[in-house]
Amino acid sequence: MTSIGHEEARETSGATIAGVLRYVRRHGGDGAVAEVLRRAGLEHVAAELEDQSRWWSYDTRIRLFVAATEVLQDPDALFAMGTSALRSGLGHSLLLVLRALGTPRQVYRQLPRSAARFTTVQSMHVRETSPTSATISLTLAEGYEHSALDCAFARGLAITVPVIFGLPQGVVASSACASDGSRTCVYRVTWERRSRLRRRRRRREDDPELMALRGQLRTLQSAAGELVGSEDLDTVLHRIVARAGEAVLAPAHLLVVDSPDGGAPLVHAAGIPEDQLPALAERLLAGEDLGPSAVVVDVASARRRHGRLAAIYRTGDGPMSDEQTMLAAYAGHAAAALDLLIALRGARLEAERAGALLALAHELAAASDATAVCDIVAATLPRVVGCSGASVMLWDPTLGQLQGRSSARPDRPQGEHFLSTPLRPEDTPELIGMLTDREPRILGVGTSSPAVAQFLREIDVTDVVAVPLVAGTTFLGVATASWDTGETPPELGGDVLARLRGVGDQATTALQKARLLETVRHQAMHDALTGLPNRVLFLERLETTLAGTAPEGHLGVLFCDLDRFKDVNDSLGHAAGDELLRQVAARLRAVVRPGDTVARLSGDEFAVVLPDLPDPADARRLAQRVSGCFSEPFRLEGRQVDVGTSVGVAVLAADGPRSADALLREADAAMYRQKQHRGRAAAR
């Protein structure tokens, strides 16, 4: 909810302030206006002072009155300002309302309500009226200091009423001013009957009603152009409330419209205390009667009803006739502007979605692994679907669980929880259903199984649309779109589901391609028989480890060659030889450290990378462990077969070559020397 305005108390209508400045400009020029603002200490808000929709404090009003009197050097300037209010464009809409009352006497009877449009700290009462006179009183609220200039301005305003009907100005027959010691200012105004005036043709340009109509038209045209020229919804709503203050003068205005994106209504207000705003906005949107002190109209066009707009007065003041018509006319302009803005936003959103989908296709085409695919899809979904968050979860058939792989907001604590918490079918009926029928699910905290509801609460999400990623009959995972509290659109099926499914289809194709690439890459980098890295991957990892080893660090390489491997092939056959290689690979993996890399280079040759050795001697100790794993015979074709190994060791030296090929050759040479040494020993 947004309350617009400024820090000053809303005690004086901007229509009064703007009229004073126009009078000063007409009689003294822009220089006089600047000097008035300087003396009143209002230079910092100069651009806002001529905005009739703004409200100001009583203190600002009096400082401006004093400064204007001094600059114009005219002690009667405020009385003259009051008498020229109609020419200064004071409240076009109010003048039209007053003109509709028919006679000066009827207008004077309505003056208390009229005064409430301009001030909230003074109360006016009509003591008596006749066809040619009215006695009115004006009382300043407690706590405010009376000003003779304010009294003069009010007297000037009071005598302009007959002018509305083409009569000469009235005359103040008597007055008692509070500045003379009276508590209340009392004025008796008289005017001439129409029948006593000589017939004469009034110039059309001098007709107050025509001037007011022209001014009101300019106001509406300006407001319409300003609204249509805005592209930001929040700015438009702010301006609707601000310009409603010109369409109908009132101490407070309230606008409540439905959010075009769904979710909570949008509320903008002026002159309403923050603690009263939520309840009042709820009543307005619900269509409740706000009472006799409010004018309420629909903000609606031929296309749609957006919400409601209200002008709110102090209790007891209430609206005047025709003000609802004027506010409704303005609300029509506001509705047209909202129609245009929503249409533009829709077109822009569709263009952004089309661009996001095109970018998605390009990025997925370049993605080479499943993680990259998931990251791209999760990042794109909010732009395409219009959701608050998104994620991709992949199915692990080995563990039988759905695991979060990527989130659109991984930096949030809830994102970390999502990525670390798997969903299992035995705990999640919704997952069982998706595995069975491959259909999307719309999930909510209040409508899901206990496990899913708890999961949603833990990741701070209220509503989720989940679409399965299925390639043929293979269940790959799930893509989800989620909404934070208050942001969920009213309909999660239809377009939302269709857009999510479209992205899901692209994700499925990309995941299939990534899996194929991963399979091809694995086959190209791994030995098909043992599953160990091959020579290409071994050298790649060795180069990477070398690059990351500090000059004073220690890195070792072991080169292993099996003894009697040819005999096994010749005596038991190649199938037994293959089985031997698989068992050797398993034993080697079992004796090395978790960070070491075991590879099959070719035939019966294996190698091991030993990174981060605490001491160079550790390489020898690990070589002994490798040799020790061959002490037990291998079982092949139902027989116990003894197979040994020769192990060569190379350790990166500070002054030695930092090359993967050089280290491997050094370890190979060491292995060959050990094999020769063992052969000579066996011959002796």
Side-chain angles (χ1 to χ4, degrees):
M1 294 190 181
T2 304
S3 182
I4 64 174
H6 38 73
E7 295 180 357
E8 291 207 14
R10 294 175 65 86
E11 297 167 345
T12 298
S13 168
T16 299
I17 304 299
V20 171
L21 294 181
R22 284 195 288 271
Y23 181 91
V24 172
R25 182 175 288 108
R26 189 163 61 247
H27 290 81
D30 290 334
V33 172
E35 180 61 17
V36 166
L37 297 180
R38 187 190 69 79
R39 294 194 184 196
L42 298 172
E43 308 100 307
H44 63 292
V45 290
E48 303 173 27
L49 288 168
E50 295 192 62
D51 184 350
Q52 292 194 46
S53 67
R54 303 296 293 268
W55 281 70
W56 305 89
S57 67
Y58 178 76
D59 177 67
T60 293
R61 169 188 178 126
I62 299 306
R63 282 189 286 132
L64 197 64
F65 283 179
V66 172
T69 301
E70 293 173 352
V71 171
L72 295 178
Q73 298 181 350
D74 180 2
D76 297 323
L78 266 299
F79 180 79
M81 288 180 194
T83 62
S84 65
L86 296 182
R87 292 192 301 276
S88 297
L90 179 61
H92 299 303
S93 60
L94 182 60
L95 188 147
L96 294 172
V97 170
L98 295 177
R99 181 69 175 80
L101 293 176
T103 66
R105 184 179 188 180
Q106 293 299 325
V107 171
Y108 279 110
R109 286 176 174 174
Q110 294 291 327
L111 274 187
R113 288 189 174 185
S114 301
R117 275 77 180 147
F118 297 97
T119 177
T120 60
V121 298
Q122 290 172 315
S123 57
M124 180 177 286
H125 301 278
V126 179
R127 297 191 172 187
E128 63 85 18
T129 63
S130 74
T132 58
S133 68
T135 302
I136 56 180
S137 62
L138 191 65
T139 303
L140 189 63
E142 292 288 342
Y144 294 88
E145 184 177 350
H146 181 270
S147 167
L149 296 177
D150 194 34
C151 184
F153 182 74
R155 289 199 306 272
L157 279 174
I159 67 173
T160 62
V161 170
V163 177
I164 297 174
F165 301 93
L167 302 173
Q169 286 182 344
V171 176
V172 177
S174 63
S175 66
C177 184
S179 60
D180 297 330
S182 303
R183 175 170 173 74
T184 301
C185 298
V186 181
Y187 317 119
R188 183 172 182 272
V189 180
T190 63
W191 61 91
E192 297 184 43
R193 289 179 181 272
R194 184 181 299 275
S195 60
R196 295 177 57 185
L197 297 175
R198 289 182 298 174
R199 287 178 169 268
R200 56 178 178 154
R201 183 181 297 274
R202 172 182 286 277
R203 293 186 302 170
R204 292 183 60 84
E205 59 268 24
D206 293 335
D207 188 336
E209 184 175 14
L210 180 59
M211 293 171 59
L213 285 170
R214 288 173 174 169
Q216 184 75 347
L217 179 60
R218 285 194 300 269
T219 298
L220 289 174
Q221 289 174 334
S222 174
E226 187 179 58
L227 293 176
V228 170
S230 303
E231 295 187 0
D232 176 67
L233 180 59
D234 191 66
T235 300
V236 168
L237 298 178
H238 179 99
R239 288 175 176 172
I240 287 175
V241 174
R243 294 299 160 235
E246 288 189 63
V248 173
L249 299 176
H253 291 82
L254 173 62
L255 172 68
V256 185
V257 299
D258 295 319
S259 172
D261 302 323
L266 305 176
V267 180
H268 281 248
I272 299 175
E274 288 288 345
D275 59 335
Q276 300 176 18
L277 188 53
L280 196 59
E282 184 177 353
R283 290 176 56 199
L284 180 62
L285 192 61
E288 295 183 21
D289 185 2
L290 299 187
S293 298
V295 178
V296 179
V297 297
D298 286 334
V299 180
S301 66
R303 297 182 60 187
R304 62 180 292 179
R305 179 182 181 276
H306 296 279
R308 305 183 86 201
L309 174 65
I312 303 173
Y313 304 92
R314 294 180 302 178
T315 301
D317 291 334
M320 301 178 68
S321 61
D322 288 341
E323 284 189 319
Q324 182 156 8
T325 301
M326 292 184 175
L327 190 62
Y330 174 72
H333 284 281
L338 288 173
D339 279 348
L340 178 60
L341 178 60
I342 291 172
L344 289 174
R345 288 185 68 193
R348 188 180 299 113
L349 183 59
E350 288 304 319
E352 290 174 357
R353 285 172 176 162
L357 286 171
L358 181 61
L360 174 66
H362 285 298
E363 292 177 20
L364 289 180
S368 58
D369 57 68
T371 298
V373 170
C374 294
D375 289 343
I376 292 167
V377 171
T380 303
L381 276 173
R383 288 183 290 156
V384 175
V385 178
C387 49
S388 308
S391 70
V392 179
M393 308 177 79
L394 295 185
W395 175 250
D396 187 333
T398 304
L399 299 176
Q401 64 185 28
L402 197 61
Q403 180 71 57
R405 195 66 172 267
S406 186
S407 170
R409 297 182 288 189
D411 53 325
R412 298 176 62 188
Q414 297 88 342
E416 296 177 4
H417 180 78
F418 163 78
L419 295 174
S420 62
T421 306
L423 295 178
R424 298 178 177 86
E426 56 267 27
D427 305 321
T428 315
E430 293 86 349
L431 179 54
I432 294 177
M434 231 182 289
L435 287 167
T436 303
D437 60 25
R438 306 295 205 259
E439 290 298 322
R441 294 293 189 276
I442 297 177
L443 310 172
V445 171
T447 58
S448 301
S449 64
V452 171
Q454 178 64 25
F455 183 66
L456 295 181
R457 281 191 289 267
E458 288 171 349
I459 62 176
D460 196 23
V461 166
T462 57
D463 298 281
V464 173
V465 178
V467 170
L469 306 177
V470 181
T473 59
T474 304
F475 182 77
L476 302 179
V478 173
T480 74
S482 60
W483 287 264
D484 293 338
T485 303
E487 297 183 2
T488 306
E491 173 58 47
L492 291 180
D495 289 343
V496 170
L497 183 56
R499 289 193 291 268
L500 182 56
R501 271 181 151 161
V503 175
D505 289 343
Q506 291 196 52
T508 298
T509 302
L511 285 172
Q512 284 182 290
K513 186 196 77 172
R515 287 191 172 190
L516 178 60
L517 287 174
E518 288 173 1
T519 300
V520 172
R521 190 183 299 112
H522 186 275
Q523 291 174 346
M525 295 291 198
H526 290 77
D527 174 47
L529 180 63
T530 63
L532 295 176
N534 60 16
R535 177 181 289 272
V536 174
L537 182 56
F538 176 84
L539 290 173
E540 180 182 298
R541 290 187 180 177
L542 181 54
E543 288 283 8
T544 302
T545 306
L546 272 170
T549 302
E552 66 278 6
H554 305 298
L555 166 68
V557 174
L558 306 183
F559 194 102
C560 310
D561 182 80
L562 303 187
D563 298 332
R564 299 186 61 246
F565 178 69
K566 184 175 182 303
D567 295 342
V568 171
N569 274 337
D570 291 344
S571 61
L572 299 178
H574 288 283
D578 290 345
E579 176 61 22
L580 173 62
L581 293 175
R582 283 191 287 267
Q583 292 186 30
V584 168
R587 291 191 185 187
L588 290 176
R589 276 192 295 237
V591 298
V592 300
R593 301 171 303 168
D596 298 338
T597 297
V598 180
R600 181 190 177 202
L601 302 185
S602 64
D604 61 345
E605 294 178 340
F606 294 82
V608 185
V609 179
L610 306 173
D612 302 321
L613 293 172
D615 188 270
D618 292 329
R620 297 288 177 188
R621 286 190 283 271
L622 286 168
Q624 291 172 0
R625 287 171 56 182
V626 168
S627 297
C629 78
F630 286 83
S631 60
E632 294 290 330
F634 294 86
R635 188 167 185 82
L636 302 172
E637 300 291 332
R639 298 169 53 182
Q640 301 287 341
V641 178
D642 290 320
V643 176
T645 184
S646 300
V647 182
V649 181
V651 178
L652 179 66
D655 57 349
R658 300 183 69 88
S659 159
D661 285 329
L663 272 176
L664 188 60
R665 285 196 303 271
E666 184 180 335
D668 186 9
M671 181 276 300
Y672 185 72
R673 287 193 299 271
Q674 186 190 62
K675 187 179 287 287
Q676 285 185 323
H677 176 72
R678 291 173 61 189
R680 287 194 296 268
R684 289 197 297 268

